[in-house]
Amino acid sequence: MLRILEILGQLIMVFMEETGKVILLFGNSLRWGLRRPFYVRLVVRQMLEIGVNSIPVVLITATFTGMVLALQTHTGFQRFNAESLVGTVVALSMTRELGPVLTGLIVAGRAGSAIAAELGTMRVTEQIDALYTLATNPVKYLVVPRLVAGTLMLPVMTVLSDIVGIYGGFFVSVKVLDANRTIYLRRTWDFLQFSDIYSGLVKAAFFGLVISLIGCYKGFHTRGGAEGVGRATTGSVVVSSMMILISDYLLTAILF
Amino acid sequence: MKLTAETKVGIIVFLGIMILTYMSFQVGEFRVSKKTGKSINLIFDSVAGLSKDASVQVAGVEIGKVYDIGLKEGKAHVNVRIYADIDIDRKSKAYIRSAGLLGDKYIDIVLGNSGDYLGNGGTLVSPPESEDIGKLVGKLSSIADDFKEVSTALKNTLGGAEGEESIRRILENFRDLGITLNRMVDRNEERFTHIMKNIDELSGHLNQTLGAHREDIDQALTNARTASTSLKNIFRKVDEGQGTMGRLINEDDLSENLNQALVSANDVLGVKKKYRTFVSLRNEALVEANDSKGYISLQLLPRKDKFYLFELVSPEGTKGDLTETRTVSHITNRGTGAGSDFFPVDVTQTVEKEKTSDRLMYTAMFGRRFGQTSLRLGLEENTGGIGIDHTFFGKRVGLHFDLWDFEGENSFGGSAHAKIRADFNFLKYFYLHTGYDNFLNTEDSSLFYGAGITFNDEDIKDLFSLLPVSR
């Protein structure tokens, strides 16, 4: 009995400790990020890594999500003669919810894991320690560019996936389901408000920050050789995916 | 050319910003906030359902949008922006209408032609009432409710295993009735001939009455035919899907939805009226008066303890007119002398008096029932009357007492007309009765007996189910 309590307590302690470390890392990055010199080149590089290279997979996901969304809502709305509202539903779901969340999940799987693996390898091969000897702050040099890149690129990618998803739905509705294209487009844009798009972008920026922060944290605290790197990679994907879904709910409930 | 990392990132970010800009111009909100166009104020009694950014149309073409909705002095003031190049006449009328059943409201402006145009910031007061889809749907659904009730009743009457069962039952009953009737006729042939003759006479009177009102009836029939022609036209249109009703009925999805809504509405309201009706025909042979009377009666029971009785009564006095002889004394001044002058002379005068007039008599009474006993009050054979009924042995035997014509105008003794009658329902539809009529006036009083048939609305329904119905 005591043992169970002990394990439970330990788990909670570990969780608290990790949370604390993540927050501290974030604080450190903020502190160092605001000081000169700014490594603009490194930021651009990370934007390429995290953002641009993830674009094909994000776009494909968004297209098919929009298409299937149109198909499904059509099936449902047909039952009460509201087919004309499919466009509205697709646009609202894409901008408010699926655009940011799916982009976040894919980037977490693709770029978040890459960050953890890269930093983890640097940690186990003692390259991070080497940075100290070069009088370079590893947080400033490695973590800050990634956080900035993630926070900036996720909204951009979300905008792309929004538009691609909306037009994927439009394609299915008009070409496959024989909807009236003018009415579909009117319903799409008439009911959409700018706050829908903007709330999705705020979420996306937050997800970008979470993904790169967790990736960096997992990489930075890797221990135990190649096996440790693998564990760090997996951990970063799992934790950031969960964080995305949890914070998605909280952000939606509190902010919008 | 190899793209550098910077270029790639730049392209993507630029693309994202471009798309964001495009989307922000597409979404409704941004277009509304454009303060372009001519501003016009419309005043309505009610703008229920109208929202900002609703479209303003002329002849179905959008010419502007609703910019603001406010309240001033209890009226709705709607500020609209007209961005189309169009002048609004001062005599124009604005209505709030709905597009589709889902109820997107828009403002419809019907242009006037006074040649005097509204400028920027001009005001147009709308006519007080505008027919909107909300009201129309309300009306339609109440109409559909009625339709539903009628059709459900018909379906219940004519359809299904229950209908078949009732047909079978009524056929059996008819057979039984036939057998019994045969037996009865065999046994009481003479009496039946008499009864039948009476009924014949009654129908003769009815015919007479109808003949007298021939023209009225013709007129009524013509009217009915015209009405049915226009009804047929309406239904044909409905059938072809013309008009809102037509579409409503012919579009399966819509009518299905409506149907479901109505079913639930019906369930909620639980409209099940039990309005029972009894129709009976009976005949009375008055033994001593050597006369007979026929009755057609209709009894309506809106509730268990309340009923209305309407009767048509064939006249008495169709047999044996009464002749009265009177002696009248006159004093004449003809002649002279004690023997002849101023001598009263008796003159015999014969006065023929018909017992009653040759017209049908009406009974219309209101009744209250208290258990087995009921009291009646109202018009009885054209004069005020009261009555009391009591039933025994599960309504197989009924005792009736009636008192009417209190002044004795139609009877000879000068007393009120009183009548006591007992009837015995020996079959479901058939009864025999006997009694003593007008016993307060000895001259006209008579024992009577007779027979009658009675059936209720259930039986009529059963008869309906005998009609061939295509399903």
Side-chain angles (χ1 to χ4, degrees):
Chain A
M1 190 65 205
L2 262 175
R3 181 107 185 99
I4 297 171
L5 277 180
E6 211 172 294
I7 292 169
L8 208 66
Q10 213 156 18
L11 277 176
I12 291 170
M13 287 309 287
V14 168
F15 177 74
M16 289 298 172
E17 193 189 340
E18 297 232 348
T19 314
K21 279 181 180 167
V22 172
I23 302 291
L24 275 180
L25 183 64
F26 180 57
N28 268 336
S29 347
L30 268 188
R31 190 146 54 89
W32 291 106
L34 293 173
R35 285 188 195 171
R36 286 176 175 281
F38 299 123
Y39 298 108
V40 180
R41 239 173 199 298
L42 285 176
V43 172
V44 172
R45 224 202 128 60
Q46 287 308 319
M47 283 168 94
L48 187 75
E49 277 301 321
I50 297 170
V52 180
N53 292 344
S54 304
I55 277 180
V57 63
V58 166
L59 290 191
I60 289 168
T61 315
T63 313
F64 280 92
T65 307
M67 282 161 73
V68 79
L69 207 57
L71 214 55
Q72 294 279 39
T73 39
H74 180 86
T75 319
F77 279 22
Q78 198 180 29
R79 293 181 193 169
F80 46 92
N81 288 33
E83 292 101 322
S84 61
L85 292 174
V86 170
T88 316
V89 171
V90 171
L92 279 178
S93 333
M94 282 313 296
T95 54
R96 291 187 70 98
E97 181 64 32
L98 294 174
V101 170
L102 288 177
T103 309
L105 289 177
I106 282 168
V107 171
R110 204 194 156 277
S113 59
I115 293 170
E118 195 183 348
L119 293 197
T121 313
M122 286 172 86
R123 168 62 78 191
V124 296
T125 53
E126 296 175 353
Q127 291 180 54
I128 288 174
D129 301 319
L131 279 176
Y132 281 112
T133 61
L134 292 169
T136 309
N137 186 317
V139 172
K140 187 171 177 56
Y141 189 77
L142 297 173
V143 178
V144 173
R146 286 175 170 79
L147 294 191
V148 173
T151 315
L152 288 182
M153 279 317 280
L154 256 277
V156 176
M157 289 154 78
T158 301
V159 170
L160 292 180
S161 74
D162 283 351
I163 198 82
V164 165
I166 286 170
Y167 279 97
F170 169 75
F171 175 80
V172 169
S173 290
V174 173
K175 297 289 172 197
V176 181
L177 302 171
D178 257 352
N180 180 319
R181 52 180 299 136
T182 315
I183 289 179
Y184 187 93
L185 284 180
R186 244 191 68 199
R187 297 279 172 172
T188 299
W189 297 118
D190 276 5
F191 289 108
L192 202 61
Q193 294 184 342
F194 192 69
S195 69
D196 297 325
I197 301 170
Y198 137 88
S199 74
L201 298 189
V202 172
K203 275 189 200 172
F206 186 78
F207 297 159
L209 180 68
V210 167
I211 292 163
S212 28
L213 189 61
I214 287 170
C216 289
Y217 164 77
K218 285 287 180 186
F220 228 64
H221 293 86
T222 307
R223 241 168 286 146
E227 198 193 333
V229 174
R231 238 183 293 127
T233 312
T234 320
S236 80
V237 174
V238 172
V239 173
S240 46
S241 299
M242 272 164 47
M243 282 301 292
I244 284 170
L245 295 175
I246 294 168
S247 61
D248 176 46
Y249 176 79
L250 293 177
L251 285 176
T252 308
I254 295 165
L255 294 179
F256 315 111
Chain B
M1 190 187 113
K2 182 94 171 80
L3 289 175
T4 60
E6 284 87 345
T7 324
K8 281 184 188 168
V9 172
I11 288 170
I12 293 301
V13 171
F14 181 73
L15 199 63
I17 290 169
M18 286 302 290
I19 291 170
L20 195 61
T21 318
Y22 163 74
M23 284 169 86
S24 68
F25 277 107
Q26 283 290 327
V27 295
E29 205 174 310
F30 262 59
R31 279 191 290 180
V32 193
S33 49
K34 284 191 294 183
K35 270 199 160 189
T36 56
K38 193 160 47 177
S39 160
I40 282 180
N41 292 308
L42 304 173
I43 301 175
F44 292 97
D45 283 349
S46 162
V47 290
L50 192 75
S51 59
K52 275 190 183 184
D53 198 27
S55 110
V56 179
Q57 304 184 349
V58 169
V61 179
E62 185 172 300
I63 59 160
K65 295 225 171 215
V66 172
Y67 181 70
D68 193 24
I69 300 175
L71 188 67
K72 247 184 245 166
E73 292 152 10
K75 299 248 181 188
H77 282 237
V78 180
N79 183 251
V80 301
R81 306 276 156 153
I82 309 293
Y83 52 70
D85 186 19
I86 185 170
D87 289 318
I88 307 293
D89 196 284
R90 274 189 198 283
K91 287 268 189 280
S92 304
K93 286 177 178 134
Y95 301 95
I96 292 175
R97 299 199 200 277
S98 296
L101 279 171
L102 277 177
D104 279 350
K105 298 275 184 185
Y106 67 93
I107 293 179
D108 184 30
I109 296 181
V110 178
L111 292 178
N113 53 359
S114 68
D116 186 12
Y117 298 108
L118 280 177
N120 194 14
T123 301
L124 202 64
V125 181
S126 77
E129 264 300 288
S130 66
E131 193 65 54
D132 64 5
I133 192 87
K135 277 183 199 152
L136 195 68
V137 166
K139 276 183 199 164
L140 268 180
S141 67
S142 73
I143 291 172
D145 256 341
D146 294 346
F147 264 119
K148 175 85 185 165
E149 229 170 274
V150 172
S151 68
T152 317
L154 265 178
K155 205 172 92 187
N156 288 346
T157 313
L158 303 173
E162 224 175 292
E164 266 173 46
E165 170 62 22
S166 57
I167 290 173
R168 200 182 55 74
R169 230 179 22 234
I170 199 167
L171 283 177
E172 273 172 16
N173 285 341
F174 264 106
R175 201 190 54 214
D176 291 351
L177 182 65
I179 294 168
T180 324
L181 267 178
N182 261 344
R183 250 186 255 145
M184 265 181 66
V185 169
D186 279 350
R187 252 183 276 153
N188 307 305
E189 208 180 336
E190 200 180 317
R191 214 180 286 174
F192 264 101
T193 324
H194 188 61
I195 290 169
M196 285 301 159
K197 214 165 78 194
N198 287 336
I199 290 176
D200 218 38
E201 267 163 25
L202 174 61
S203 72
H205 286 299
L206 266 178
N207 260 346
Q208 261 176 336
T209 318
L210 289 178
H213 300 284
R214 183 90 224 161
E215 250 173 58
D216 293 346
I217 292 167
D218 273 352
Q219 187 58 43
L221 284 176
T222 317
N223 288 345
R225 206 174 299 137
T226 322
S228 81
T229 313
S230 25
L231 257 181
K232 205 158 64 185
N233 282 341
I234 292 169
F235 278 117
R236 186 173 46 73
K237 278 184 190 158
V238 168
D239 216 30
E240 284 164 11
Q242 288 178 22
T244 320
M245 271 301 290
R247 275 200 296 282
L248 211 58
I249 285 170
N250 286 307
E251 268 174 30
D252 283 350
D253 289 356
L254 205 56
S255 60
E256 182 67 21
N257 291 344
L258 200 59
N259 213 9
Q260 276 167 8
L262 288 173
V263 168
S264 43
N266 252 353
D267 287 346
V268 172
L269 295 172
V271 230
K272 283 218 171 76
K273 284 187 194 124
K274 258 297 183 228
Y275 215 98
R276 303 211 59 194
T277 312
F278 292 92
V279 179
S280 66
L281 288 165
R282 75 169 192 273
N283 162 274
E284 286 172 5
L286 300 152
V287 180
E288 281 150 73
N290 191 22
D291 198 353
S292 71
K293 278 166 112 175
Y295 294 81
I296 300 174
S297 89
L298 173 73
Q299 200 177 0
L300 298 174
L301 283 91
R303 285 208 320 256
K304 256 196 138 115
D305 58 339
K306 195 171 127 182
F307 64 89
Y308 300 97
L309 177 72
F310 302 99
E311 268 180 340
L312 273 178
V313 186
S314 79
E316 300 172 76
T318 52
K319 281 181 182 176
D321 290 340
L322 197 78
T323 310
E324 196 177 55
T325 309
R326 282 200 293 190
T327 307
V328 181
S329 296
H330 291 268
I331 297 171
T332 60
N333 56 0
R334 246 193 281 147
T336 52
S340 57
D341 289 351
F342 305 105
F343 189 75
V345 180
D346 280 350
V347 178
T348 305
Q349 209 173 29
T350 305
V351 179
E352 263 186 29
K353 192 176 173 189
E354 269 194 299
K355 269 168 95 181
T356 49
S357 58
D358 194 20
R359 62 203 163 94
L360 283 173
M361 290 181 292
Y362 305 93
T363 295
M365 298 186 99
F366 166 73
R368 266 321 270 275
R369 179 172 295 175
F370 308 96
Q372 300 292 329
T373 311
S374 46
L375 294 177
R376 282 177 283 119
L377 181 71
L379 198 67
E380 188 153 4
E381 302 197 2
N382 294 356
T383 60
I386 52 168
I388 180 164
D389 308 302
H390 193 80
T391 54
F392 308 90
F393 308 116
K395 298 191 180 172
R396 291 191 83 83
V397 174
L399 204 58
H400 310 274
F401 173 74
D402 287 277
L403 189 65
W404 74 94
D405 192 14
F406 300 115
E407 303 290 319
E409 280 164 8
N410 295 335
S411 34
F412 293 95
S415 296
H417 196 137
K419 176 175 171 183
I420 188 155
R421 175 166 74 94
D423 55 35
F424 171 50
N425 269 52
F426 65 98
L427 263 176
K428 193 179 172 191
Y429 301 105
F430 224 92
Y431 63 91
L432 291 176
H433 58 94
T434 181
Y436 208 65
D437 184 32
N438 208 0
F439 53 79
L440 295 181
N441 300 297
T442 37
E443 202 177 325
D444 197 35
S445 65
S446 170
L447 191 73
F448 68 87
Y449 63 91
I453 52 171
T454 181
F455 43 93
N456 60 24
D457 47 333
E458 292 291 321
D459 305 322
I460 298 171
K461 225 159 91 173
D462 284 347
L463 273 174
F464 253 119
S465 64
L466 279 175
L467 300 173
V469 177
S470 60
R471 282 176 62 83

